[in-house]
Amino acid sequence: MAGQRIATRAGACAAVAVLAVAGGTVARADDGFEALPAEQIADRSRDALLDVSSVHLRARGDLGKGRSPMTVDLTLDRNGNCAGGVDLGKDKGSVKIVKRGDSVWLKPDADFWENQVPVGGSAFEAILAGRYMRGSASDSRLRPVVEACDLDTFRELVSDNAGSDAGTYSKGKVTTVDGVRTVPVTRTLNEQKLTAYVDTGGTHYPVRITVRGDGADAAVDFSGFDEPVPTATPPADETVDVSAVLGRGPSQS
């Protein structure tokens, strides 16, 4: 069903960011931050990210294993609100996403309907006529989007990956990323290298995380820490109920 495909692909894109976050759990030290061992810098960076109430993330690239490069651009918070979009890359389509409270809006473009829903996609596109689909957060067809929009889901996945001390850590020279002074720390595991560029001042957020090797080539930029998610939602005359597009089937969880 088209709604499930939209939701699943959006959730998969957001997972690029989740899978990119890792770090061991080690004791803190009182030394100057830049002088800390790589493991401790990674630990502080992860903890800072887990503490935020909202964040803007932009994930782009692919994690290998035959996955196509794609981009996620989302601002999300711990109340389950989010705004942004997903671009599947190479003219495969994109979807704008807004979630506020119990309402979810999705706006696939023409390329999405043509490439992701080859059977029936043109009919769905005609019904929408450039408008958003609107549904409830409790609609099972939209569950992956709802989960991807919730910062608590993101935090849980980061925490689940935080206990592993596998691989080796190294620290690079201080460098500037988007005007922020950062220290890069790299975790190498098998043939893959994950590098976090950590803000050296104030709260030690990861400004960028990259994943390279073993077929992967992805990056995640973080910004807008603790800044509110935009509150604007599509007006009623620019929306169509999801059931009018996908039909009335089992939709409640």
Side-chain angles (χ1 to χ4, degrees):
M1 186 173 291
Q4 290 172 315
R5 294 186 184 187
I6 295 168
T8 300
R9 289 180 182 277
C13 290
V16 172
V18 173
L19 293 172
V21 179
T25 302
V26 296
R28 296 185 181 276
D30 294 326
D31 303 330
F33 182 74
E34 294 176 20
L36 291 175
E39 295 93 332
Q40 293 187 18
I41 292 175
D43 179 55
R44 292 199 182 185
S45 174
R46 186 201 68 244
D47 288 350
L49 188 59
L50 288 173
D51 283 343
V52 300
S53 61
S54 61
V55 68
H56 174 234
L57 64 86
R58 185 173 188 272
R60 59 200 182 280
D62 67 85
L63 294 176
K65 300 179 181 178
R67 296 170 179 157
S68 299
M70 55 186 66
T71 300
V72 171
D73 196 323
L74 285 177
T75 301
L76 61 165
D77 66 21
R78 293 174 69 174
N79 292 322
N81 302 308
C82 80
V86 175
D87 188 330
L88 300 176
K90 295 183 179 179
D91 298 322
K92 292 183 178 179
S94 63
V95 183
K96 293 181 180 178
I97 302 171
V98 178
K99 181 178 180 293
R100 197 78 195 171
D102 189 50
S103 295
V104 182
W105 293 262
L106 300 174
K107 187 178 182 180
D109 66 4
D111 285 336
F112 180 94
W113 290 119
E114 179 180 352
N115 292 285
Q116 309 305 321
V117 193
V119 178
S122 59
F124 296 141
E125 182 185 4
I127 294 172
L128 286 174
R131 295 171 292 180
Y132 284 81
M133 287 193 301
R134 177 177 179 174
S136 169
S138 61
D139 190 322
S140 61
R141 295 169 295 190
L142 304 178
R143 184 173 295 126
V145 168
V146 172
E147 292 177 348
C149 278
D150 191 341
L151 185 56
D152 277 340
T153 299
F154 176 86
R155 292 171 68 254
E156 289 173 6
L157 290 169
V158 173
S159 296
D160 289 345
N161 289 327
S164 173
D165 57 0
T168 59
Y169 288 83
S170 60
K171 181 172 62 173
K173 295 181 179 179
V174 171
T175 187
T176 300
V177 175
D178 292 338
V180 178
R181 179 182 173 88
T182 68
V183 56
V185 292
T186 299
R187 178 181 180 181
T188 302
L189 181 61
N190 299 323
E191 299 179 4
Q192 195 168 85
K193 290 186 177 182
L194 183 151
T195 301
Y197 295 83
V198 183
D199 190 342
T200 62
T203 305
H204 303 300
Y205 296 118
V207 177
R208 175 174 297 162
I209 296 175
T210 62
V211 184
R212 303 283 188 267
D214 195 23
D217 185 5
V220 187
D221 288 340
F222 297 94
S223 61
F225 303 101
D226 294 323
E227 295 180 5
V229 175
T231 59
T233 59
D237 61 356
E238 293 183 14
T239 67
V240 177
D241 187 271
V242 65
S243 293
V245 181
L246 304 180
R248 297 186 180 277
S251 63
Q252 303 301 309
S253 58

